[in-house]
């Protein structure tokens, strides 16, 4: 069973949704039969790659809310994070273009480390206040999860994975993704938002039992008429 997850590194609910999804996977017996593919999505692709904005300023300017409301939102997010093991320090996050971070995720995913890259980038952005558009920072983060730093720098200094990121975003638009996180199961079922763990367990189980369990139990076979499937 294949699950595609559209996500943006600067989306706090994507981080929470990832934690909920991973906790759900630990509760199902068929998790080894699930393939996860991370897909790129940019909440604001027009952000600069060089000019850093604080979260407070960004939310005040983009959403038109007061500084007091922003502080309250950050505090509420911090409390939510504690329930899933996330140390949200969003007041220190550097709002900047996430395009190159998504390129790193594609690079890592090709080497079987997509989830590790997502996790490291989320932590870098939301907890550590790192600049996730900075080439050297991205290379160091990739190296921390076992990727080759020189290869990462070569990728980031080229056009590699630019097309893949753009394709993911276009794909999202074509299937009607308007917000993230967004989970698609076998291109048949969708889960929108950072749903509770129990919801993920139920949805994944229903999809697996409906489309995969019968084949898993019976295995490939041929009938007496010579039909094989």
């Amino acid at each position: 069973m294949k699950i595609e997850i559209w996500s943006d590194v600067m989306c706090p609910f994507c981080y929470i949704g990832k934690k909920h999804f991973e906790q759900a996977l630990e509760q199902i017996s068929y998790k080894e039969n699930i393939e996860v593919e991370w897909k790129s999505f940019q909440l604001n692709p027009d952000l600069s790659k060089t000019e850093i904005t604080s979260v407070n300023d960004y939310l005040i300017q983009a959403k038109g809310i007061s500084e007091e409301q922003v502080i309250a939102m950050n505090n509420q997010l911090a409390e939510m994070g504690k329930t899933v093991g996330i140390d949200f320090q969003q007041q220190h996050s550097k709002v900047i273009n996430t395009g190159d971070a998504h390129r790193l995720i594609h690079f890592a995913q090709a080497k079987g480390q997509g989830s590790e890259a997502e996790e490291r980038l989320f932590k870098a952005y939301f907890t550590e206040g790192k600049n996730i558009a900075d080439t050297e920072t991205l290379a160091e983060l990739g190296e921390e999860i076992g990727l080759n730093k020189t290869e990462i720098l070569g990728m980031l200094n080229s056009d590699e994975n630019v097309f893949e990121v753009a394709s993911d975003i276009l794909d999202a638009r074509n299937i009607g993704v308007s917000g993230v996180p967004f989970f698609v199961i076998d291109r048949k079922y969708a889960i929108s938002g950072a749903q509770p763990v129990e919801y993920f367990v139920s949805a994944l189980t229903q999809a697996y039992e409906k489309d995969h369990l019968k084949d898993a139990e019976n295995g490939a076979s041929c009938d007496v008429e010579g039909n094989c499937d």
Side-chain angles (χ1 to χ4, degrees):
M1 186 163 76
K2 183 175 182 178
I3 302 173
E4 297 162 287
I5 309 172
W6 275 266
S7 172
D8 194 5
V9 179
M10 63 181 289
C11 164
F13 294 107
C14 292
Y15 198 1
I16 293 172
K18 179 179 184 293
K19 293 294 189 181
H20 285 178
F21 173 73
E22 290 171 343
Q23 288 177 23
L25 289 184
E26 292 302 314
Q27 296 183 30
I28 55 182
S29 59
Y30 50 88
K31 67 178 181 179
E32 299 301 325
N33 297 326
I34 292 177
E35 174 191 355
V36 176
E37 180 179 352
W38 291 95
K39 309 282 277 187
S40 304
F41 191 95
Q42 287 191 277
L43 293 172
N44 189 344
D46 297 324
L47 285 171
S48 170
K49 289 188 175 183
T50 57
E51 297 178 11
I52 296 171
T53 306
S54 72
V55 165
N56 287 23
D57 288 344
Y58 176 75
L59 292 175
I60 290 169
Q61 295 167 10
K63 305 297 183 182
I65 57 181
S66 69
E67 185 173 4
E68 290 74 18
Q69 288 175 304
V70 172
I71 292 172
M73 288 170 59
N74 289 340
N75 291 338
Q76 182 180 26
L77 185 62
E79 291 302 312
M80 293 175 65
K82 291 177 182 178
T83 66
V84 288
I86 299 173
D87 179 18
F88 275 117
Q89 299 290 335
Q90 186 175 236
Q91 68 275 15
H92 301 307
S93 295
K94 294 176 172 59
V95 178
I96 200 156
N97 193 289
T98 58
D100 284 345
H102 284 293
R103 292 171 63 204
L104 175 59
I105 293 167
H106 270 279
F107 178 85
Q109 189 156 247
K111 299 179 182 298
Q113 292 182 268
S115 292
E116 291 85 351
E118 284 277 347
E119 182 69 27
R120 189 64 191 92
L121 284 162
F122 276 134
K123 183 178 180 181
Y125 182 82
F126 284 109
T127 301
E128 300 169 345
K130 292 183 181 294
N131 177 358
I132 60 168
D134 178 73
T135 299
E136 185 67 23
T137 298
L138 289 172
E140 290 173 357
L141 294 174
E143 187 175 40
E144 286 180 24
I145 63 170
L147 301 175
N148 184 288
K149 183 177 180 179
T150 302
E151 291 180 359
I152 296 170
L153 288 171
M155 180 272 295
L156 292 173
N157 288 314
S158 71
D159 291 331
E160 187 178 346
N161 293 325
V162 170
F163 176 79
E164 285 76 6
V165 172
S167 294
D168 282 353
I169 293 170
L170 178 60
D171 199 11
R173 187 179 301 124
N174 288 338
I175 66 174
V177 179
S178 58
V180 286
F182 196 85
F183 304 75
V184 176
I185 306 171
D186 289 335
R187 285 290 167 131
K188 295 174 68 175
Y189 315 105
I191 302 173
S192 179
Q195 298 291 345
V197 175
E198 296 75 17
Y199 185 97
F200 278 116
V201 171
S202 176
L204 294 175
T205 299
Q206 289 181 49
Y208 186 78
E209 290 180 347
K210 182 176 182 180
D211 295 336
H212 298 274
L213 188 57
K214 185 175 184 296
D215 291 338
E217 290 177 344
N218 295 336
S221 63
C222 297
D223 62 24
V224 293
E225 302 294 331
N227 301 311
C228 299
D229 52 29

